[in-house]
Amino acid sequence: MAIDQKTVLIADSNQVDILRLSLLLKRLDYSVLTVLNCFDVIKKTAVFNPDIVLISIRMSDMDSTACMEHIKKDAHLKAIPFVTMGEKSDANALEDSLKKGAAAHIFKPLSPTSLYRLVQKITEKKPRENVRARIIFKTTILYQNIRRVSFASNLSEAGVFIRSIKPIPVGTKVSISMDLPSAKPIELEGVIVNVVEFNRDRFIEPGMGIRFTNIDKNTQLGLRKFIEEQLTYDLDPNLEL
């Protein structure tokens, strides 16, 4: 779990959509609250003061924008950002929600990258651009005539986190070969950008973050597709949940 985990309130009258979106946001390291109607949106925002509200433009009991406007009348809650969600056919209503106070709108189905970037942009002072997925796979690292075989535990299209109790110093240039599901291992150049030391008092996975330095566009897009598939493989709208 992230140290500073943001809370997202999801409001949608469609229970299947709520389940899919909740699972995705949990995998993206967010704390999630869910409601099925606007009455409960009003109650839960007052009690939990979430960092952001994702609300369907098609709520069953009240107009979504009216619900948002009601909450924003409260001086203690008016700063909570609302993002409206809807289908392409809801484009006009979604655009109108911006005039009535929504911070942004987004179309369903929500892609992990678009959703993550939007929530990051709205809730973080230093937003991340790239979705990360917790995936365990073998890596081989070469640096200064040293070869190390380790396991990665986190992957993004921009870099990877390698689990290790003896991390390589920050600034070290490395070559990395990643044993992912592909015709052959993915080989890239990188640099160590951060290390996490073993902590005896509070366990945080020790290791080192590597930022890729020579990744081409096709490989980057391939990694993004792979990561999104890992996050959503069981959330396909065509599958019954």
Side-chain angles (χ1 to χ4, degrees):
M1 185 174 73
I3 295 174
D4 182 24
Q5 195 175 47
K6 301 294 185 182
T7 298
V8 181
L9 173 62
I10 305 170
D12 199 319
S13 298
N14 185 316
Q15 294 186 34
V16 174
D17 284 356
I18 275 195
L19 177 56
R20 289 195 174 99
L21 185 52
S22 298
L23 290 170
L24 175 56
L25 285 165
K26 291 288 286 185
R27 292 168 187 176
L28 294 174
D29 274 336
Y30 290 101
S31 175
V32 177
L33 301 169
T34 63
V35 295
L36 293 169
N37 56 67
C38 285
F39 178 75
D40 285 336
V41 175
I42 295 169
K43 286 202 305 182
K44 284 200 173 182
T45 50
V47 173
F48 295 101
N49 195 18
D51 295 285
I52 187 171
V53 176
L54 304 181
I55 186 169
S56 170
I57 203 69
R58 300 185 184 186
M59 297 300 287
S60 60
D61 62 330
M62 184 190 299
D63 179 85
S64 303
T65 54
C67 174
M68 176 179 66
E69 288 177 314
H70 177 85
I71 291 167
K72 286 183 173 295
K73 289 178 182 178
D74 187 322
H76 299 291
L77 303 175
K78 68 178 182 179
I80 297 174
F82 277 69
V83 173
T84 49
M85 307 179 293
E87 310 291 339
K88 292 289 185 181
S89 58
D90 299 314
N92 290 337
L94 292 170
E95 283 294 328
D96 187 57
S97 73
L98 300 180
K99 301 173 185 176
K100 296 181 178 179
H105 66 70
I106 192 167
F107 292 109
K108 297 179 180 181
L110 310 180
S111 82
T113 298
S114 297
L115 175 65
Y116 184 70
R117 287 178 176 175
L118 180 60
V119 175
Q120 281 280 310
K121 180 180 179 181
I122 292 174
T123 63
E124 302 289 350
K125 292 181 180 179
K126 294 181 179 179
R128 292 178 179 270
E129 277 286 310
N130 303 303
V131 171
R132 297 169 296 167
R134 188 161 184 80
I135 307 168
I136 309 298
F137 59 93
K138 187 181 290 186
T139 65
T140 301
I141 302 172
L142 297 173
Y143 70 102
Q144 299 172 358
N145 296 319
I146 299 172
R147 180 178 181 271
R148 287 175 54 168
V149 177
S150 304
F151 280 91
S153 61
N154 219 301
L155 177 67
S156 82
E157 64 189 77
V160 63
F161 185 82
I162 307 295
R163 182 192 304 149
S164 175
I165 59 172
K166 296 179 180 179
I168 300 168
V170 170
T172 304
K173 294 180 180 179
V174 301
S175 297
I176 181 169
S177 176
M178 301 188 296
D179 191 8
L180 292 169
S182 56
K184 60 181 180 178
I186 297 174
E187 298 182 348
L188 295 167
E189 301 299 314
V191 61
I192 307 297
V193 292
N194 71 289
V195 300
V196 179
E197 302 287 352
F198 182 80
N199 188 324
R200 294 178 182 275
D201 300 318
R202 180 186 180 195
F203 179 74
I204 300 174
E205 187 176 42
M208 52 197 170
I210 299 175
R211 185 182 71 237
F212 304 136
T213 56
N214 73 327
I215 188 166
D216 63 81
K217 194 67 175 179
N218 287 337
T219 302
Q220 186 177 27
L221 291 175
L223 285 176
R224 181 188 302 176
K225 181 181 179 182
F226 171 72
I227 291 164
E228 290 193 340
E229 287 174 348
Q230 297 303 300
L231 290 167
T232 62
Y233 71 96
D234 59 335
L235 307 180
D236 188 324
N238 296 315
L239 298 177
E240 185 175 346
L241 294 181

